[in-house]
Amino acid sequence: MTDLKIGVVGIPGKWSTEALADAVETKTGFRLVIDMGRVTLDLATGGLHYDGHDLSTFDALIVKKISEIYSPHVLDRLEMLRMAEARGVRIYSRPEAIIRLIDRLACTVSLAAADVPMPETRITEDPSAALQAARDFGTAVFKPLYSTKARGMTLISGEDDKAGEDIAAFAAEHPVMYIQRKIDLSGQDLGMVFLGGEYLCTYARVKQGDTWNTAIHSGGKYEGFDPDPEQIELARRAQAPFGLTFTTVDVALTDEGPVVFEVSAFGGFRGVRDGCGLDAPDLLTSHILKDLGA
């Protein structure tokens, strides 16, 4: 056991956050779950205060989840953590890396710049261009720029007489429209997991019933999956530009070959447990302690 002081930034009471805090406590004897909604940054002193602790004096912070719901406000929380990093606190993953993934468009641009294959995608604020995209794609998935687990995603058929109205309703809440061709997932997509940039395992999210997506909150379930070397290399290439400590690359297998949907800022512990049979909190904590020289 080491005497390092490591805090876990996450959602108090959530399984993945608490499991990670348990793993840290087992290996260090110290346990603190940090709710960023209750953190105060004092720029005069550089202190980052939470529940009687100055986080800027910690050895490290592990960011399991920065907020329950993604929004531009989340970027402010990450900027607060950057101040602790500037004072020498090691943060896993680095706030700068996470910032590039919170906004779906920022992630997509980075993937496109790295020549990673993705579903056909268009971004616009113009309703007429959005309608044309829906018509060109046949059926399009309209995705919020800030969301997780398929929340807020809307299917719009370009053939539907109400397509224009549906687009207007989506744009009222999401003025910058992220529009992607709906592809046939054949009932599943993959979560390809990396720890410290090295491939760990792959699990499949398998849809249940008549839902159009495989998201677990829509009823999907995790299963094991054995990818081929080309699929692993694609996922490795997708996550490489971001430099994350722990991440999951979402991959779909299509008739034209595999495509990447996105790279997760935080990765999925439950998928690793249920689909791969591995203890992600323990593996992540061990990796971080090794990196810290413990």
Side-chain angles (χ1 to χ4, degrees):
M1 183 175 292
T2 175
D3 60 357
L4 291 174
K5 186 175 282 189
I6 301 174
V8 174
V9 175
I11 311 298
K14 289 292 186 179
W15 173 79
S16 59
T17 296
E18 300 293 346
L20 181 55
D22 289 343
V24 171
E25 183 180 21
T26 296
K27 296 179 185 295
T28 69
F30 179 80
R31 189 184 202 281
L32 181 67
V33 172
I34 301 158
D35 177 359
M36 284 300 296
R38 294 175 48 220
V39 172
T40 299
L41 172 61
D42 184 345
L43 285 174
T45 65
L48 194 65
H49 301 285
Y50 176 77
D51 198 24
H53 298 273
D54 184 353
L55 306 181
S56 69
T57 67
F58 279 31
D59 296 289
L61 298 172
I62 311 175
V63 186
K64 181 59 194 87
K65 200 76 172 175
I66 197 69
S67 175
E68 188 114 42
I69 299 173
Y70 282 12
S71 73
H73 171 58
V74 169
L75 304 179
D76 301 325
R77 294 183 171 186
L78 290 165
E79 292 295 340
M80 293 170 70
L81 289 177
R82 280 210 312 134
M83 192 64 190
E85 186 178 40
R87 297 193 68 191
V89 181
R90 301 287 293 277
I91 302 182
Y92 302 90
S93 296
R94 295 188 61 207
E96 184 178 341
I98 297 173
I99 284 171
R100 296 169 62 204
L101 289 164
I102 295 297
D103 179 341
R104 177 171 275 111
L105 180 54
C107 175
T108 298
V109 169
S110 296
L111 291 173
D115 292 324
V116 173
M118 293 177 291
E120 292 179 72
T121 305
R122 298 181 194 174
I123 297 93
T124 186
E125 296 181 52
D126 181 353
S128 62
L131 179 58
Q132 187 61 52
R135 287 171 174 165
D136 291 344
F137 292 165
T139 301
V141 186
F142 282 64
K143 299 183 176 182
L145 293 184
Y146 299 92
S147 73
T148 61
K149 304 183 187 300
R151 293 184 179 94
M153 295 185 185
T154 302
L155 277 182
I156 297 178
S157 169
E159 310 267 327
D160 195 325
D161 293 339
K162 293 179 59 182
E165 295 176 28
D166 293 338
I167 289 170
F170 183 86
E173 189 171 354
H174 310 287
V176 178
M177 291 174 278
Y178 182 107
I179 309 161
Q180 207 161 62
R181 181 187 294 274
K182 181 181 180 296
I183 61 176
D184 180 11
L185 295 179
S186 300
Q188 69 175 12
D189 66 351
L190 308 179
M192 306 189 72
V193 187
F194 290 79
L195 176 60
E198 296 300 320
Y199 173 70
L200 183 63
C201 71
T202 295
Y203 56 83
R205 285 174 294 252
V206 183
K207 76 174 185 177
Q208 304 294 299
D210 58 359
T211 59
W212 67 271
N213 66 70
T214 62
I216 300 304
H217 90 276
S218 297
K221 66 175 184 176
Y222 295 116
E223 293 182 358
F225 187 90
D226 186 18
D228 62 39
E230 291 77 16
Q231 293 161 358
I232 294 173
E233 182 54 32
L234 170 62
R236 186 191 312 279
R237 188 156 56 89
Q239 58 85 41
F242 301 102
L244 297 158
T245 307
F246 181 83
T247 187
T248 303
V249 182
D250 290 346
V251 177
L253 305 180
T254 75
D255 292 339
E256 290 76 37
V259 295
V260 173
F261 281 127
E262 63 183 10
V263 177
S264 168
F266 308 107
F269 285 179
R270 200 178 296 274
V272 174
R273 184 194 68 183
D274 295 349
C276 303
L278 298 176
D279 186 341
D282 180 76
L283 292 169
L284 175 57
T285 302
S286 295
H287 171 83
I288 289 170
L289 289 176
K290 182 178 179 180
D291 190 63
L292 290 169

